Amino acid sequence: MPTDDQQVHRGLEGIAVAETRLSSIDGEAGELVIGGFPLDELAANATYEESVFLLWNDRLPTADELADFRTDLAARRAIDDEVREVLRRAAAEGKPAMDALRMGAAAANLGSDDGDPETDARRVVAAFPTIVATYWRYRQGEEPVAPREDLGHAANYLYMLTGEEPTDAAVRGLETYLNTVVDHGLNASTFTARVVVSTESDVVSAATAAVGTLKGPLHGGAPGPVLDMLTEVHERGDPEAYVRETLDAGERLMGFGHRVYRVRDPRASVLSSAAERFYEASGDDDFFETVQSFEDVAVDVLAEHKPDRSLETNVEFYTAALLHGVGVPRDLFTATFGVSRVGGWTAHCLEQLEDNRLVRPRARYVGDAGRTWTPAKER
Ligand code: COA
């Protein structure tokens, strides 16, 4: 038996490795606090720029500071021709959006000669939407749309995807999403970012590594399949039959259950209200009615299916409904998660650097010892 200090904490579950003032999760109560604000307070009111300023500075900006911050980020949106070329190639080869985002992120400090952490943070936050939208335009066989400095972060992202100025309802819907998922404790990609800067590497490297971590289906990949499921149910009707067939086939229902939350994910509640507002305003609430009736049925059937385990709606369920509504293509859902979460990653990098300690856990050795060498031709 391993002694206490040899105990292996697989996946680091339940182990606190940092102190943070950025966000706090209460999984039993279903409460999320971001930068000191209850999620619903922040998500519905802030612009994305305000959320990022809050996380980086632990306070809201004054009106002047906000104007300066917006202007500075907007001026950093453009990407170099060489990066555009890489994105064009990624799109032509059919690489997923997250690969394109990783390639673009890695080049975010091209043409700059300082590694100041906050400047690098501004670079990646500003460039992420441009990278994703440029890749998407190429994948559609279209030319990229240059960013517009007069638009806010969320509005400009939608504008670069379509070339059309988005409606206020779409901007508010996307902004609510970006605020809602900007930070969420020490999830895998955020931890990755902190590990990278703990070696005194740089923030661009940290954000690039975090994109690679977010790409994995266990982290950021559920909303695409959720949308497929909702689209199918919307077309064929009878959500209950769909839910029962899925569970009877031994499959999991995407968009339900969570490692930490034992009640409805508070982000699902915020995104559900935002999606409802959006679909009502757009006059296209048919699809949203399917979404709501699917949730009601799914929660009931899951309770019957697993009475001893609370399986409630998670963030991905309403992410799919909201992003689809505001016009983000399905194949960009995970990359759009990255467009938001880079605000949290960079905030964690800056926080880590305030009181850095190299992250260096250890592994319990379970291999052989004392082997003797055999030359290759004798093996
Ligand atoms: N549908 C059906 N059954 C589910 C389920 C779901 N969405 N989520 C969990 N379960 C069941 C498991 O099959 C398991 O049953 P078992 O004990 O008979 O094997 C039990 O509930 C516990 O599952 P477990 O894998 O231990 O829970 P977890 O805390 O590790 O999983 C998730 C959390 C999110 C990975 C899991 O709920 C899931 O796969 N959900 C669907 C994918 C999804 O929506 N992901 C986005 C998360 S934000």
Side-chain angles (χ1 to χ4, degrees), residues 219 222 226 247 251-260 262 265 267 302 305-306 309 311 314-316:
H219 193 350
V226 169
L247 297 178
E251 288 168 24
R252 291 182 178 210
L253 209 56
M254 302 311 273
F256 296 88
H258 197 272
R259 176 60 62 81
V260 179
R262 287 294 162 261
D265 184 331
R267 298 168 300 172
L302 280 167
H305 175 77
K306 280 245 150 274
R309 166 89 188 192
L311 293 172
N314 66 42
V315 64
E316 311 289 24

Side-chain angles (χ1 to χ4, degrees), residues 232-233 236-253 301 305:
E232 187 181 333
V233 171
R236 74 170 225 197
D238 203 349
E240 182 167 344
Y242 182 95
V243 172
R244 290 194 186 279
E245 279 163 29
T246 305
L247 297 178
D248 288 348
E251 288 168 24
R252 291 182 178 210
L253 209 56
V301 177
H305 175 77

Side-chain angles (χ1 to χ4, degrees), residues 194 198-199 352 355-360:
R194 285 190 87 123
S198 86
T199 70
Q352 177 74 28
D355 181 23
N356 187 38
R357 173 91 181 147
L358 173 68
V359 178
R360 192 0 182 142

Side-chain angles (χ1 to χ4, degrees), residues 55-183:
L55 290 178
W56 289 358
N57 298 285
D58 199 25
R59 64 177 176 83
L60 289 175
T62 63
D64 285 349
E65 284 172 330
L66 180 59
D68 288 349
F69 189 55
R70 285 179 64 134
T71 305
D72 183 76
L73 286 181
R76 297 177 186 277
R77 284 178 185 152
I79 54 174
D80 282 352
D81 290 348
E82 291 83 355
V83 180
R84 254 199 302 279
E85 181 52 26
V86 169
L87 299 173
R88 192 197 59 72
R89 175 92 185 266
E93 289 185 11
K95 294 272 188 291
M98 286 301 283
D99 282 11
L101 182 55
R102 170 179 42 75
M103 295 173 202
N109 59 350
L110 261 185
S112 67
D113 52 10
D114 69 75
D116 169 59
E118 187 170 330
T119 310
D120 276 352
R122 288 176 184 233
R123 286 192 178 107
V124 285
V125 166
F128 268 33
T130 316
I131 295 164
V132 178
T134 301
Y135 157 84
W136 181 247
R137 296 288 296 180
Y138 282 130
R139 244 189 67 179
Q140 299 306 104
E142 316 234 37
E143 279 305 301
V145 175
R148 263 180 47 189
E149 292 191 20
D150 60 316
L151 296 176
H153 196 80
N156 178 61
Y157 179 42
L158 290 174
Y159 168 71
M160 289 188 298
L161 288 174
T162 62
E164 283 164 27
E165 223 174 285
T167 62
D168 290 346
V171 174
R172 195 56 239 161
L174 178 63
E175 196 121 56
T176 305
Y177 169 74
L178 297 177
N179 293 335
T180 298
V181 302
V182 68
D183 198 50

